[in-house]
Amino acid sequence: MALSKRKKAMYVRYAMYVVSIALLIAVILFIDWERLGNAMFRWDIVKEQFPDILTKAAKNTVVFTVLGFAGGLSFGLLFALMRLSSIRAYRWFAATYIEVFRGIPLLVTLLILGFGIPIATGWKWPNPYLQGAIPLSLVASAYMAETIRAGIEAVPKGQMEAARSLGMSYSRAMITIIIPQALRIIVPPLTNEFVLLIKDTSLISVLGVTAATKDLARFGRDGVNQTANATPLIVAGLVYLAMTLPLTQLVAWMERKTKAMSR
Amino acid sequence: MNSDVVVSLQDLHKSFGTNHVLRGIDVEITRGEVVCIIGPSGSGKSTLLRCVNMLETPSSGTITVLGRELTDIDCDIDEARSKIGMVFQSFNLFPHMTAIENVCVAQRKVLKRNAKEATTAAQSMLARVGLQDKENSYPAQLSGGQQQRVAIARALAMNPDVMLFDEATSALDPELVGDVLAVMQSLAQEGMTMLVVTHEMGFAKNVADRVVFMDNGVIVEQGPPEQVIGAPREERTRSFLSSVLNH
Ligand SMILES: Nc1ncnc2c1ncn2[C@@H]1O[C@H](COP(=O)(O)OP(=O)(O)OP(=O)(O)O)[C@@H](O)[C@H]1O
Ligand SMILES: [Mg+2]
């Protein structure tokens, strides 16, 4: 007897549920939960992480992220405007900058700028926060420049023409007419870049840290070394999630809202 | 030079790459005159209009508006543009601003009027186009005809010496065209100098002081509407008119 297409699809769906539930039960039964808990989630060690993981480590992660984002946004706007400039040298410079910093891994850029330049020039970074945040913001600005440029280009050409025909200068039209419209387009992707930046700050500790400048990831790693237990890293991961999840949810909400508005 | 000349174009040429779109245009428009430009699609009407306020930079020739030569490299183009109103086919209202903000923004940022002056002027311009009750609506909440009338008010609020219209009614549903044309007609009657690119032959016939027929980047024929539309001399004008009037 031949099954109809819809019936077949229905049976396949049932079979998949059954298999998934069986797998889940197998995992739950066969894992040695006690051993796992002892190695990765010991309550006494969890408690030891607090309050320092919040007051010191998470604080440092936030400081690096905010500095990196602020710098990235300012330079990103600058490079986006240069990419759109009528002056060829500006366009060329910005395009090169963007390609270079997007093409090199952040880890390598951090090492070159954080260590290489001081060794080569004898110049010293005045502040360990800037030593991490400035390379971070330079890389972030390359990504943000492209996001901002795409947002500005998404504003219809007639907007600039209408503004210019009323006697506004190019920069006045950009500030009053174009950028406010572009912002609506670029806030969701920029929030995503913020989330990426939160996670990318975990690389900064390769530049060396003091007890005062440890970020979340480094704090977790050092905790592992001290306790010979993975719990500190798990807690650090949970703190990252506590920061990133609300933001990714916010982006999802903003995207639903724009979709609803454009109907 | 006659001081009543508002716009003067001399031997204007414009090419886009190898596409020679304007091939030597000479036009003078005097104060209070309403000039309608007609012609087939691609003949260069929009390009000509956009040259008058330098949205397109001509390849050669001179553009003089109110005695100021816009093609001169020393000319302050922003200042000159603030006195040349332009109305686009696609309205181009600023979508993030209400109707009254649309009418106020350039008064504030370009003419440096204070908030009260700008608002008063904006209210009277919106009333003039019949939209006093739409002050606080956003463009998305207005019909096409209402948006275009806000765009006209926005240009008028700058107290322009000349108004340019590029197919101001072509994007509108037929039942909304009349409102916009009525506003344009009353402007013409009040003595505004106007340069109007249009496909509305009825408007050209009734409102224009002069009709200019363009084809292939040159002015083929011009004169009063009863002559150019009523009794065209050139074969090209006749065939264009018969193609639009038979629609
Ligand atoms: N920015 C531009 N770049 C390249 N070519 C252009 C540009 N603007 C116009 N053109 C070309 O110039 C020619 C004239 O265009 P224009 O828009 O002036 O015609 P028009 O008379 O206004 O036509 P329509 O009645 O369809 O609006 C066309 O061949 C068009 O492709
Ligand atoms: Mg056109």
Side-chain angles (χ1 to χ4, degrees), chain A residues 166, chain B residues 86-88 91-95 97-104 122 125-158 163 179-180 183:
Chain A
L166 288 162
Chain B
M86 181 147 195
V87 177
F88 300 85
F91 327 138
N92 297 347
L93 287 184
F94 307 132
M97 297 181 178
T98 61
I100 194 153
E101 286 165 351
N102 264 277
V103 184
C104 282
M125 289 308 155
L126 284 173
R128 187 164 169 188
V129 298
L131 291 175
Q132 54 277 42
D133 54 335
K134 297 291 182 193
E135 270 182 26
N136 297 317
S137 304
Y138 282 91
Q141 301 165 326
L142 299 173
S143 75
Q146 291 169 334
Q147 289 187 53
Q148 191 60 299
R149 285 183 283 153
V150 174
I152 294 173
R154 177 175 72 177
L156 288 177
M158 306 296 284
M163 287 282 289
D179 291 341
V180 173
V183 168

Side-chain angles (χ1 to χ4, degrees), chain B residues 39-90:
Chain B
S41 182
S43 56
K45 307 180 297 293
S46 298
T47 308
L48 175 63
L49 204 69
R50 290 160 58 83
C51 278
V52 174
N53 70 354
M54 297 287 280
L55 282 183
E56 300 291 355
T57 313
S59 309
S60 69
T62 59
I63 300 167
T64 314
V65 177
L66 293 158
R68 218 184 330 211
E69 195 188 317
L70 307 191
T71 34
D72 180 349
I73 191 122
D74 289 325
C75 176
D76 179 352
I77 213 71
D78 295 331
E79 221 268 299
R81 278 189 184 133
S82 71
K83 295 283 139 209
I84 306 173
M86 181 147 195
V87 177
F88 300 85
Q89 181 174 351
S90 49

Side-chain angles (χ1 to χ4, degrees), chain A residues 66-129:
Chain A
V66 168
L67 288 178
F69 189 77
L73 193 59
S74 329
F75 287 117
L77 182 60
L78 179 73
F79 289 123
L81 292 174
M82 284 173 79
R83 280 275 269 144
L84 296 167
S85 163
S86 57
I87 299 168
R88 188 180 308 226
Y90 285 175
R91 288 203 303 268
W92 181 85
F93 178 81
T96 310
Y97 176 93
I98 290 167
E99 290 308 323
V100 166
F101 278 89
R102 287 200 309 178
I104 299 176
L106 173 61
L107 183 61
V108 175
T109 306
L110 273 170
L111 290 171
I112 292 174
L113 295 179
F115 284 149
I117 302 246
I119 291 170
T121 62
W123 175 78
K124 271 213 179 77
W125 284 95
N127 173 316
Y129 285 108

Side-chain angles (χ1 to χ4, degrees), chain A residues 52-68:
Chain A
D52 281 7
I53 194 168
L54 294 180
T55 56
K56 291 192 181 140
K59 185 210 85 185
N60 283 331
T61 291
V62 169
V63 168
F64 281 127
T65 307
V66 168
L67 288 178

